[in-house]
Amino acid sequence: MSDSPHVALITGGSRGIGAATALLAARQGWAVAVNYARNEAAAQAVVRQIAEAGGTAIAVQGDVAVEADVVAMFRAVDERLGRLGCLVNNAGVVDVPARVDDMGGERLRRMFDINVLGSFYCAREAVRRMSTRHGGAGGSIVNVSSAAARLGAAGQYVDYAAAKGAIDVLTVGLAREVAAEGIRVNAVRPGLIETEIHASGGLPDRVRDLAPLVPMGRGGTAGEVAEAIVWLMGDASPYTTMTLMEVSGGR
């Protein structure tokens, strides 16, 4: 078991931005825990890619909306990889397009349980391990927000936008709270990015349809977002905290 500070847990790491981040982080020397909720095969595929390239990775099951799962997930990382140096709070969901006046309680609870409470549970466990106040050696937390937090996503998913707005506030507040304890807390705000999340929300062509609204004239890739996340994760950004980094092509 390694006791390297370069151990990272990436929630929702089996696909999209999470998978791209896991692969890039591993190439830069991080030992990576790839979290997944249900799709073990996808997570193991990411782990295999990392191992084949000479990196270190494990797959760790856990639904971030379930507090007990989060606690168990972090303990697994402790036991199998060693001291945590970074958390990437990436796990998240959208839903089918709807107006607020058509949103039911079940949808809203799922949206906030996964996107907001899950991020809080994970941040809490990370701080307990990394904070010098708790005997840790410091580290970083990178939250994956969204450009929707400032655009509002009217007529599609205001609930998702509101959840990501909460992530922005978590980033600012927690960054100030733990800055003197060796932990940096930042967020990225991806814009229109080509990932599977759009199909899961019933809009598989969303990026193509909205690309003309982006000043750069195209959607982004998961790899482009991963570049920003990995920069914020480690030694390249030692004086950067409380930052909300736009990765949105100017939109």
Side-chain angles (χ1 to χ4, degrees):
M1 180 178 73
S2 168
D3 195 36
S4 166
H6 293 294
V7 171
L9 169 60
I10 300 172
T11 66
S14 64
R15 67 176 191 169
I17 292 169
T21 301
L23 292 166
L24 181 59
R27 288 200 297 272
Q28 297 193 10
W30 291 87
V32 180
V34 179
N35 159 254
Y36 67 96
R38 286 170 292 279
N39 194 341
E40 181 180 6
Q44 292 292 357
V46 175
V47 169
R48 279 195 303 274
Q49 288 184 67
I50 291 171
E52 288 167 0
T56 300
I58 61 172
V60 185
Q61 194 279 331
D63 183 341
V64 298
V66 178
E67 188 174 6
D69 278 18
V70 171
V71 171
M73 175 173 64
F74 275 81
R75 286 177 178 165
V77 175
D78 295 339
E79 293 167 1
R80 298 176 63 188
L81 290 179
R83 187 176 72 234
L84 187 71
C86 179
L87 163 69
V88 179
N89 259 328
N90 169 72
V93 293
V94 295
D95 211 315
V96 296
R99 286 167 48 100
V100 170
D101 46 345
D102 289 325
M103 292 179 184
E106 183 177 352
R107 170 184 171 132
L108 293 171
R109 279 187 291 272
R110 172 177 173 265
M111 187 68 61
F112 284 87
D113 281 351
I114 295 172
N115 292 346
V116 181
L117 294 186
S119 293
F120 267 86
Y121 296 149
C122 290
R124 180 194 70 198
E125 294 300 311
V127 169
R128 287 175 176 176
R129 286 158 173 80
M130 297 190 296
S131 169
T132 55
R133 181 179 183 179
H134 296 293
S140 64
I141 296 172
V142 183
N143 297 319
V144 178
S145 178
S146 171
R150 56 181 171 74
L151 296 173
Q156 291 191 327
Y157 30 71
V158 173
D159 52 343
Y160 174 80
K164 291 303 187 178
I167 296 305
D168 288 355
V169 175
L170 167 63
T171 300
V172 171
L174 184 59
R176 288 177 168 156
E177 194 165 276
V178 298
E181 299 168 21
I183 303 174
R184 299 180 301 105
V185 186
N186 295 288
V188 295
R189 280 174 166 171
L192 288 167
I193 308 298
E194 290 279 8
T195 72
E196 303 93 329
I197 198 168
H198 302 291
S200 71
L203 295 172
D205 299 322
R206 184 169 184 267
V207 174
R208 185 194 67 190
D209 292 344
L210 296 182
L213 301 178
V214 179
M216 289 183 70
R218 64 173 179 86
T221 68
E224 288 171 323
V225 181
E227 291 282 356
I229 293 172
V230 173
W231 183 78
L232 290 169
M233 286 172 63
D235 298 337
S237 55
Y239 199 56
T240 302
T241 196
M242 206 181 74
T243 292
L244 306 176
M245 182 180 289
E246 305 287 347
V247 188
S248 62
R251 182 167 181 254

